[in-house]
């Protein structure tokens, strides 16, 4: 029986572990408890063409339009055509998606041409999926190791054969297996404001980069338009705008139609930048999301989680608009994979947010991420034990400037300093000048060498920040979530992926779409 280590316990890791446990010896490793992950906080839902008035083609077209010319068409076709069956698998597993009159209920989110978003528990979709999968994994043969931080991948003869972990209970330990599936999620903690939980420090992408895997599209970070403007930036689902809520400026005027004919339901990057511009124009004061027309009882039933959090903050969103602000939400870039989750390093798979399958391109269509995790985690298991294909040739590698660190000048930094720098200089709006400043600052920082998990997470955040900033410098155009105020338009020569391998000095490969 072959063996596999799965890293991470969001939807991607749990699905991979569950599927693989039918045929393989599985060790599932997570740095927190089994049920903690970004998945748990997903509200809006999971998009799939499951209804008679919808089609796979339409879902494909919506995904490509939002991705701004950088999607891999083949990966999108896989996502949208296999998605419905994988969602049916979840239903069979016991995920109780909400129903209306006995039929699956469906919501609408920005840039979808059809109402195709399934939800559960109103706005607790991720929690419902996570709970069902955790239960199934606990009943499976998979071995679970909680509170184990993956420090690095183990590479032998050019193949990934395990992970080095630090676990408080057992100390430093090497786990070996025939393959490793990284499903360790995103990196929201790169930014001062994020909807992501504290565990999202990009560890998977950082260890893969250090091991020599290719990263792709790292400059594309999605900012969710509406998080509650309170500490913690609790997500206010796009589904709220899908139900008809509108955005107001400080004078109570709807402003999004100034920026896009679809107003509040324009693509996510357009809405996020519209809000940020409006906030700048009104001295940093958050804009308002007005859901009052939906009625307090509808809001409480359809969005019980948001209603509860508003109440905790003394807000009654059934009777008054609530303050909202953009926050870092989802990383489109990550470890480059093929349509089976295979990375450029033999033995290493990546699925879910840590991966860059090419599904999202320069911007992710709302509610496509749970679906991507589900589809590609399932597919990756089908490739366990199969011969590894030829990996990307790295012959066209060009050295790029500004990535060298100055060990002689290095000073330690705090996570808050890094998050603020990334928010200010590599966030919703970027310019060459800001990015060069960020690159210089990042080059001066070095992580503390205490060896603690926090120090290692910070080192991972630093490595990823450097690559993201370098990629953002190299992309002299605006496309999708990457907006350069000094290059405000999309430029056809940049309709290609920027790929990165090896950390120091960072190397860049450009690959046509
Ligand atoms: C939301 O509920 O707005 C989040 C959905 C997503 O990020 O896909």
């Amino acid at each position: 029986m072959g063996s596999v280590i799965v890293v991470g316990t969001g939807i991607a890791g749990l699905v991979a572990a569950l599927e693989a446990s039918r045929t393989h010896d599985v060790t599932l490793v997570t740095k927190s408890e089994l049920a903690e992950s970004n998945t748990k906080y997903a509200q809006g839902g999971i998009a799939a063409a499951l209804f008679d008035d919808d089609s796979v083609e339409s879902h494909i077209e919506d995904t490509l339009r939002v991705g701004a010319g950088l999607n891999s068409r083949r990966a999108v076709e896989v996502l949208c055509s296999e998605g419905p069956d994988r969602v049916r698998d979840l239903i069979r597993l016991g995920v109780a998606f909400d129903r209306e009159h006995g039929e699956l209920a469906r919501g609408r989110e920005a840039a979808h041409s059809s109402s195709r978003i399934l939800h559960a528990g109103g706005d607790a979709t991720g929690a419902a999926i996570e709970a069902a999968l955790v239960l199934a994994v606990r009943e499976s043969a998979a071995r679970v190791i909680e509170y184990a931080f993956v420090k690095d991948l183990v590479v032998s003869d050019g193949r990934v054969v395990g992970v080095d972990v630090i676990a408080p209970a057992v100390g430093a330990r090497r786990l070996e297996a025939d393959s490793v599936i990284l499903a360790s999620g995103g990196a929201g903690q790169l930014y001062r404001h994020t909807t992501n939980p504290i565990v999202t420090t990009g560890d998977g992408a950082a260890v893969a980069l250090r091991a020599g895997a290719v990263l792709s599209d790292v400059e594309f970070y999605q900012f969710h338009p509406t998080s509650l403007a309170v500490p913690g930036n609790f997500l206010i689902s796009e589904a709220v705008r899908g139900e008809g809520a509108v955005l107001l400026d400080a004078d109570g005027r709807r402003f999004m139609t100034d920026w896009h004919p679809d107003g509040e339901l324009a693509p996510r990057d357009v809405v996020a930048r519209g809000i940020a511009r409006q906030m700048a124009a009104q001295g940093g004061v958050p804009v308002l999301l007005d859901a009052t027309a939906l009625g307090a009882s509808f809001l409480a039933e359809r969005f019980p989680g948001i209603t509860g959090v508003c109440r905790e903050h003394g807000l009654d969103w059934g009777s008054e608009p609530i303050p909202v602000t953009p926050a870092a939400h989802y990383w489109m870039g990550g470890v480059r994979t093929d349509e089976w989750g295979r990375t450029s390093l033999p033995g290493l798979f990546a699925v879910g947010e840590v991966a860059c399958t090419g599904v999202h391109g320069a911007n992710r269509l709302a509610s496509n991420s749970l679906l991507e995790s589900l589809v590609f985690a399932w597919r990756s298991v089908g490739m366990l034990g199969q011969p590894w294909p030829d990996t990307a040739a790295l012959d066209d590698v060009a050295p790029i400037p500004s990535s060298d660190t100055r060990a002689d000048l290095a000073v330690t930094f705090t996570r808050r300093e890094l998050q603020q720098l990334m928010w200010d200089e590599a966030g919703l709006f970027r310019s060459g000048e800001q990015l060069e400043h960020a690159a210089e600052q990042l080059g001066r920082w070095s992580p503390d060498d205490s060896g603690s998990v926090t120090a290692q997470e910070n080192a991972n955040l630093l490595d990823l920040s450097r690559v993201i900033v370098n990629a953002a410098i190299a992309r002299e155009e605006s496309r999708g979530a990457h907006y350069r105020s000094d290059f405000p338009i999309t430029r056809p020569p940049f309709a290609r992926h920027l790929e990165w391998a090896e950390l120091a000095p960072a190397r860049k490969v450009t690959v046509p779409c």
Side-chain angles (χ1 to χ4, degrees):
M1 187 186 248
S3 58
V4 57
I5 295 166
V6 179
V7 182
T9 55
I11 179 172
L14 294 172
V15 167
L18 192 58
E19 283 301 316
S21 70
R22 304 183 206 288
T23 48
H24 285 72
D25 178 69
V26 176
T27 304
L28 177 58
V29 177
T30 178
K31 75 172 175 178
S32 181
E33 60 179 34
L34 183 59
E36 178 62 353
S37 72
N38 216 356
T39 296
K40 191 168 119 184
Y41 303 94
Q43 296 179 7
I46 184 161
L50 281 157
F51 301 95
D52 290 346
D53 61 355
D54 194 7
S55 68
V56 167
E57 289 67 35
S58 158
H59 192 186
I60 291 172
E61 288 317 311
D62 291 348
T63 303
L64 293 174
R65 191 178 57 254
V66 169
L70 272 201
N71 315 71
S72 150
R73 187 174 181 105
R74 178 71 195 124
V76 175
E77 286 168 355
V78 165
L79 175 86
C80 299
S81 59
E82 296 185 10
D85 278 347
R86 296 292 78 77
V87 172
R88 287 185 197 103
D89 290 347
L90 280 186
I91 294 171
R92 272 194 291 276
L93 199 75
V95 177
F97 288 109
D98 294 333
R99 292 183 176 265
E100 264 170 11
H101 315 299
E103 301 297 317
L104 285 170
R106 44 182 168 156
R108 183 86 178 250
E109 288 181 4
H112 284 273
S113 56
S114 179
S115 295
R116 61 165 74 97
I117 320 293
L118 303 192
H119 48 85
D123 55 5
T125 313
I129 293 173
E130 184 81 13
L133 286 170
V134 162
L135 202 64
V137 164
R138 284 208 191 281
E139 286 170 359
S140 77
R143 183 181 314 106
V144 178
I145 306 180
E146 295 175 295
Y147 299 102
F149 177 79
V150 172
K151 190 172 161 298
D152 270 307
L153 297 172
V154 181
V155 184
S156 174
D157 290 333
R159 186 178 172 92
V160 173
V161 293
V163 294
D164 282 330
V165 299
I166 316 172
V170 290
R173 210 172 131 185
R174 176 161 290 188
L175 305 173
E176 291 178 346
D178 301 326
S179 314
V180 172
I181 301 180
L182 277 181
S184 48
Q189 293 299 322
L190 283 165
Y191 287 98
R192 173 77 177 83
H193 302 287
T194 179
T195 61
N196 293 185
I198 195 80
V199 291
T200 55
T201 48
D203 309 317
V207 297
L209 183 63
R210 282 201 290 272
V214 172
L215 264 53
S216 188
D217 295 352
V218 296
E219 64 274 36
F220 298 106
Y221 212 103
Q222 183 171 80
F223 293 81
H224 197 287
T226 54
S227 72
L228 197 59
V230 296
N233 292 100
F234 188 78
L235 178 68
I236 307 294
S237 176
E238 198 146 291
V240 177
R241 280 172 283 131
E243 295 287 357
V246 294
L247 289 160
L248 306 177
D249 66 15
D251 297 325
R253 186 186 71 90
R254 269 181 86 179
F255 61 90
M256 263 318 300
T257 41
D258 298 350
W259 296 109
H260 196 280
D262 293 340
E264 286 81 1
L265 291 181
R268 197 170 269 189
D269 62 301
V270 175
V271 182
R273 284 196 297 274
I275 292 175
R277 286 192 178 101
Q278 186 56 45
M279 284 176 60
Q282 52 192 52
V285 175
V287 301
L288 298 167
L289 181 70
D290 187 354
T292 55
L294 303 178
S297 56
F298 173 82
L299 290 173
E301 190 182 335
R302 174 72 177 84
F303 302 109
I306 300 175
T307 303
V309 169
C310 283
R311 208 173 284 136
E312 280 166 27
H313 290 277
L315 298 165
D316 173 9
W317 73 326
S319 66
E320 61 186 346
I322 54 172
V324 292
T325 180
H329 185 59
Y330 188 90
W331 194 21
M332 274 73 73
V335 187
R336 211 254 339 261
T337 71
D338 67 6
E339 293 139 33
W340 301 92
R342 293 178 295 205
T343 72
S344 60
L345 266 186
L348 181 67
F349 295 81
V351 291
E353 191 171 346
V354 67
C356 179
T357 58
V359 153
H360 306 302
N363 199 11
R364 179 178 62 95
L365 184 66
S367 286
N368 263 357
S369 46
L370 292 176
L371 191 72
E372 184 200 25
S373 295
L374 190 56
V375 166
F376 289 91
W378 190 86
R379 285 172 74 86
S380 70
V381 171
M383 283 296 131
L384 290 173
Q386 300 295 317
W388 211 261
D390 277 349
T391 53
L394 293 178
D395 300 341
D396 296 339
V397 170
I400 57 142
S402 311
S403 58
D404 292 343
T405 58
R406 294 287 310 273
D408 52 329
L409 297 177
V411 289
T412 54
F413 63 100
T414 64
R415 186 175 300 184
R416 180 51 62 90
E417 284 171 331
L418 180 141
Q419 292 170 329
Q420 191 68 54
L421 181 76
M422 289 297 284
W423 182 261
D424 292 341
E425 316 282 39
L428 270 161
F429 297 93
R430 302 152 170 195
S431 70
E433 198 181 332
Q434 287 175 296
L435 291 164
E436 292 291 354
H437 171 251
E440 264 174 46
Q441 184 60 62
L442 291 166
R444 277 196 288 271
W445 281 339
S446 75
D448 81 63
D449 53 9
S450 65
S452 69
V453 166
T454 303
Q456 296 189 47
E457 287 176 337
N458 287 347
N460 289 341
L461 290 169
L462 181 63
D463 287 346
L464 296 183
S465 298
R466 287 178 175 151
V467 181
I468 289 172
V469 165
N470 276 323
I473 289 171
R475 185 168 286 284
E476 293 185 329
E477 64 157 356
S478 293
R479 183 184 295 272
H482 170 73
Y483 186 85
R484 287 277 301 255
S485 43
D486 48 350
F487 293 101
I489 56 168
T490 299
R491 300 170 70 199
F494 284 91
R496 62 185 201 262
H497 303 284
L498 303 182
E499 302 202 323
W500 306 83
E502 290 186 14
L503 196 57
R507 297 191 303 164
K508 180 184 73 171
V509 195
T510 58
V511 179
C513 285

